[in-house]
Amino acid sequence: MPAQPIPAQFKRETHTINGVKTIVLTAGKGEPLVFLHGAGIWHGINFALPWTEKFRVIVPFHPGFAESGDDPAMNDMHDYVMHYLDLFDALGVAKMRLVGFSLGGWLAAKFAVAHGDRVARLVLVGPAGLRGKERPQGDVLSLPPEQIPALLVFNFDVIKPYLPENPKDLDFMGERYREGGTLARLLWENPYDHKLPRYLHRITMPTLLLWGEDDKLLPVKTAELWRQHLPKAEFKTFKGAGHLVLDEKREAVDAVARFLS
Amino acid sequence: MAGRARFDFIHFMHYVHLPENQKDFPSLWVDFPNKYFDPEKGYSLYQRYLSELVLADKLGFDAIVVNEHHNTAYSMMPAPNLIAASLIPQVRNAKICVWGTPPNLEYPNRLAEEYAMLDVLSQGRLEVAFPLGTGMEYWANPINPSTARARYRESIDIILQAWTQDGPTKYYGDFYTYRYLNPWPRPVQKPHPPCYIVGTGSPETIDLAAQLGFGYASVFVTKSRARELNEKLRRTAAEHGHHISPEQLPLQVITYVAETEQKARDEGIDHIRYFFEDALRTTPTFLAPPGYLSVEQLKMRAALADKLHGKFDFDNVNESFFVAVGTADQVVAQLEQWGEQMGTNHFVMLAAPGNMPNWKVVKNLNLIAQDVIPRVRVGAAYERRVAAE
């Protein structure tokens, strides 16, 4: 029996944004903290529980992921920025603490570049999107799906409870394939954002950049690219943690909470 | 109306000189290292394969068929139009079928031009097919698999507009903008060369063939499924006001003819085994790049994949697919039966399967030409059925 990926404390709402069914999980009270997930959220959000003690934690599922709906017309990251503008308006969230992980980190940076007035503080956790000299970094489309889970973590036991016992589980395969299709719409032609570095100087709010030192998908070296363009950002790394640093290290979760307080 | 059936010879031009450890590679497609292609051996294979296609023309086959695949030992024809062009001077009578370049992998104006060139060069003997391309082609080419079908559809529109409307015309689509669509030369055949859709039976491609009145060749589907698809195409095309003729439903048959059934099996089966076990061997990820299939199709194909790409069992393959291995009498009877069942009089002979050596291919082509082609009569039952409807 796979572990429950969503803690019971989270309330589940369904919104329709531009015709797209969007699931939003919310827990806690306080200033809003929005978490933008990566290119898959099957590993759940148990890591986010400590944040609910201080913040109103809001975790939307991106269109084309988990139980949110599909919209084939959403085929670049800008469409997702526009989706979140509409969703935040619908939720009445004018200003927020924004935490983005991996694909969600790229999205958070892209959102903050254009709509900095709505982001009080920004945390980028192992963000994707920048192209370094050594490639591929984080091009999950170049990897057979069955190889991806092992590349996400330092300690496989952390995600094992969320994976099906049968590696050929058709439903799990089908769900990942659908999310891969969403990713292909966004990233097939180009898994990096060549324009983003040009605009990263617009990120002027306090920013924390956080990375697992044993990230096998997006090596911690990639952080240098971000630091070049975000010289004022705080930078923290965690030993014994892979790409899913928040799932693997409670210290990382606490560091985010401290930074956002 | 029952007359002589149409016989095509299809060649895949496999690169057969694989390293001894080839079984260690899960796929001979996409990432199979190209260091294993030896240009000297490639030259000899091209010479040999071209001679086999030319021989089929000399023996009286109605058409020769070539197709396109990329990054693979399965095929030495990433650019089938080059093969077609080099065959035209030597193939004097047979139709030249390029079945074909996925139109979404090439600029559509360029494909319209190249096919028109081939039609003019061959004095109107070209036939083309529009495949979507296997999943593997999307790992080798920079086209997005998640928009493959939409781009495919638009590309076909552009090609048909280029062929059928006097240029210059304009085209403003989702993928392409043409301010001056005006390709030279134009095809000989009017309104354009005969067109087919090639597919594995997805509902979208059947509907498209029905809408456009194109022929449909299903490949790598089981017998019962192929029959359903032909029925569905005829029915749907009729709703669009198109009559699908038997010739528009080419049936691909793996064929090997010999003096006795035992001899045919002894000489043929190993090469058919190579075709399924080696030439077609690839991975589920390569078969289904993200966004290429619907989730339902992915699950369906995961079930069929073992039949096509797994362990070879001749009886299983024989049962599932169109395989005619035996004496000329047996093959004639088999083809007549399938022709009636499938409502076709158009057979595409996969007569050089896998790593079959030249002498067997030559023998096979000769026996098919002498003892099979002149004797197969199909169409009577089908025509009666259509007339009765």
Side-chain angles (χ1 to χ4, degrees):
Chain A
M1 190 65 186
Q4 188 49 251
I6 309 298
Q9 289 88 333
F10 278 85
K11 197 174 75 189
R12 182 191 186 84
E13 294 168 18
T14 303
H15 293 263
T16 303
I17 303 299
N18 269 324
V20 186
K21 183 178 97 171
T22 305
I23 304 295
V24 180
L25 306 171
T26 314
K29 286 203 173 74
E31 295 294 316
L33 183 167
V34 173
F35 176 77
L36 298 180
H37 66 73
I41 188 66
W42 49 265
H43 55 92
I45 56 167
N46 282 303
F47 64 84
L49 214 44
W51 296 341
T52 64
E53 290 160 18
K54 287 185 184 166
F55 302 101
R56 174 185 166 208
V57 177
I58 302 166
V59 183
F61 291 151
H62 308 319
F65 289 92
E67 291 99 86
S68 282
D70 288 303
D71 186 350
M74 292 181 70
N75 60 9
D76 71 24
M77 291 294 273
H78 182 65
D79 293 326
Y80 280 72
V81 170
M82 297 308 288
H83 171 83
Y84 281 111
L85 274 180
D86 285 340
L87 179 71
F88 297 149
D89 287 351
L91 293 172
V93 174
K95 196 143 185 169
M96 73 202 80
R97 276 124 172 109
L98 185 59
V99 182
F101 162 64
S102 194
L103 181 77
W106 174 357
L107 181 55
K110 202 168 160 64
F111 186 87
V113 156
H115 307 285
D117 55 322
R118 299 185 75 157
V119 182
R121 288 180 160 250
L122 177 67
V123 180
L124 303 176
V125 184
L130 295 194
R131 181 179 69 168
K133 286 203 177 70
E134 291 159 54
R135 288 181 292 276
Q137 299 138 319
D139 179 18
V140 291
L141 290 171
S142 70
L143 301 167
E146 67 275 13
Q147 289 179 18
I148 292 174
L151 294 171
L152 291 175
V153 284
F154 178 75
N155 174 9
F156 191 72
D157 290 341
V158 172
I159 52 166
K160 204 174 163 202
Y162 303 104
L163 291 165
E165 274 174 30
N166 173 10
K168 287 192 170 177
D169 183 279
L170 269 189
D171 290 330
F172 189 81
M173 261 173 64
E175 284 163 29
R176 300 294 79 76
Y177 186 71
R178 173 218 172 206
E179 293 173 346
T182 305
L183 213 54
R185 280 201 289 278
L186 292 172
L187 308 183
W188 188 268
E189 285 90 346
N190 200 336
Y192 306 105
D193 188 337
H194 303 317
K195 287 286 177 71
L196 189 57
R198 186 184 171 92
Y199 302 117
L200 281 177
H201 66 271
R202 296 190 59 82
I203 293 184
T204 52
M205 70 291 296
T207 299
L208 170 65
L209 184 62
L210 201 145
W211 226 287
E213 287 184 20
D214 301 288
D215 193 326
K216 287 173 262 186
L217 196 69
L218 267 175
V220 64
K221 263 200 306 195
T222 316
E224 294 312 313
L225 291 169
W226 288 88
R227 296 182 73 196
Q228 270 170 36
H229 298 284
L230 299 172
K232 289 184 189 154
E234 274 185 46
F235 180 48
K236 280 192 158 58
T237 62
F238 294 86
K239 279 198 173 61
H243 194 51
L244 293 179
V245 54
L246 295 174
D247 305 60
E248 292 198 88
K249 288 290 159 195
R250 174 63 193 261
E251 301 94 287
V253 174
D254 292 342
V256 171
R258 272 198 308 279
F259 176 78
L260 293 180
S261 294
Chain B
M1 187 61 200
R4 181 162 104 52
R6 168 172 164 179
F7 281 84
D8 305 355
F9 171 46
I10 188 167
H11 214 305
F12 296 138
M13 296 200 173
H14 304 305
Y15 182 80
V16 292
H17 302 292
L18 301 179
E20 271 177 30
N21 65 340
Q22 60 102 349
K23 297 274 185 197
D24 297 342
F25 294 86
S27 174
L28 293 190
W29 297 68
V30 184
D31 67 349
F32 182 61
N34 65 1
K35 71 176 178 190
Y36 295 119
F37 181 83
D38 176 341
E40 291 294 328
K41 289 174 178 159
Y43 170 80
S44 304
L45 284 175
Y46 274 131
Q47 295 302 305
R48 187 199 130 186
Y49 291 159
L50 290 169
S51 79
E52 290 166 1
L53 285 155
V54 171
L55 175 65
D57 173 52
K58 292 201 174 110
L59 290 172
F61 277 77
D62 300 285
I64 52 135
V65 184
V66 294
N67 70 1
E68 168 168 335
H69 293 290
H70 298 263
N71 282 30
T72 179
Y74 178 88
S75 168
M76 295 184 5
M77 291 187 287
N81 287 345
L82 296 183
I83 299 295
S86 66
L87 281 167
I88 287 171
Q90 305 174 75
V91 170
R92 301 306 306 166
N93 297 305
K95 290 174 192 289
I96 312 280
C97 301
V98 184
W99 287 4
T101 294
N104 43 341
L105 295 189
E106 180 64 278
Y107 286 126
N109 65 303
R110 185 166 177 113
L111 196 55
E113 289 167 342
E114 288 184 8
Y115 282 155
M117 285 173 69
L118 291 174
D119 201 40
V120 174
L121 282 164
S122 68
Q123 292 185 293
R125 285 184 288 142
L126 180 73
E127 289 192 353
V128 302
F130 297 113
L132 178 66
T134 70
M136 285 79 86
E137 320 308 333
Y138 292 86
W139 295 105
N141 289 277
I143 296 298
N144 194 329
S146 75
T147 47
R149 284 173 201 281
R151 188 188 287 266
Y152 168 80
R153 184 68 190 82
E154 184 167 316
S155 301
I156 291 174
D157 262 352
I158 293 166
I159 292 166
L160 291 177
Q161 181 173 319
W163 282 345
T164 58
Q165 294 181 23
D166 290 337
T169 62
K170 295 182 189 302
Y171 189 94
Y172 293 93
D174 293 336
F175 299 93
Y176 300 104
T177 295
Y178 286 100
R179 297 182 177 86
Y180 299 97
L181 188 62
N182 192 27
W184 291 62
R186 303 182 71 184
V188 175
Q189 297 177 86
K190 301 295 175 210
H192 54 71
C195 294
Y196 301 80
I197 303 285
V198 180
T200 49
S202 73
E204 295 93 335
T205 48
I206 295 269
D207 286 345
L208 181 61
Q211 271 174 42
L212 298 171
F214 284 6
Y216 190 89
S218 51
V219 289
F220 300 125
V221 300
T222 55
K223 283 185 218 170
S224 56
R225 178 106 176 100
R227 187 175 177 181
E228 279 168 32
L229 293 174
N230 281 5
E231 290 296 336
K232 189 180 167 202
L233 175 64
R234 274 193 292 262
R235 213 172 45 238
T236 323
E239 290 164 16
H240 290 277
H242 295 293
H243 169 73
I244 300 297
S245 71
E247 191 179 343
Q248 285 180 288
L249 298 169
L251 180 66
Q252 196 165 296
V253 183
I254 298 174
T255 310
Y256 191 77
V257 182
E259 297 80 351
T260 65
E261 184 182 1
Q262 192 55 48
K263 202 162 181 204
R265 290 173 76 101
D266 291 346
E267 288 179 3
I269 287 176
D270 278 351
H271 310 296
I272 297 170
R273 172 197 305 277
Y274 176 98
F275 180 67
F276 282 95
E277 235 179 44
D278 299 312
L280 281 171
R281 189 170 72 245
T282 188
T283 70
T285 305
F286 291 158
L287 275 168
Y292 176 76
L293 297 176
S294 68
V295 172
E296 295 69 39
Q297 284 273 329
L298 178 90
K299 291 182 180 178
M300 252 177 57
R301 289 185 191 204
L304 182 71
D306 288 340
K307 237 178 204 170
L308 252 182
H309 302 271
K311 265 260 152 282
F312 178 83
D313 169 4
F314 182 72
D315 292 327
N316 183 12
V317 164
N318 207 9
E319 176 67 30
S320 302
F321 301 102
F322 296 97
V323 180
V325 173
T327 63
D329 286 350
Q330 288 171 318
V331 171
V332 167
Q334 186 66 90
L335 295 180
E336 288 184 340
Q337 189 198 356
W338 286 337
E340 297 294 351
Q341 278 171 5
M342 300 289 299
T344 185
N345 61 6
H346 183 172
F347 299 100
V348 181
M349 300 279 93
L350 206 167
N355 56 355
M356 186 169 276
N358 177 254
W359 73 265
K360 288 186 191 172
V361 175
V362 170
K363 171 180 171 179
N364 194 20
L365 289 174
N366 273 283
L367 289 176
I368 293 170
Q370 280 167 37
D371 301 331
V372 176
I373 292 180
R375 293 167 53 204
V376 174
R377 292 284 182 279
V378 288
Y382 169 73
E383 293 295 335
R384 275 198 303 278
R385 204 163 71 227
V386 171
E389 274 164 12

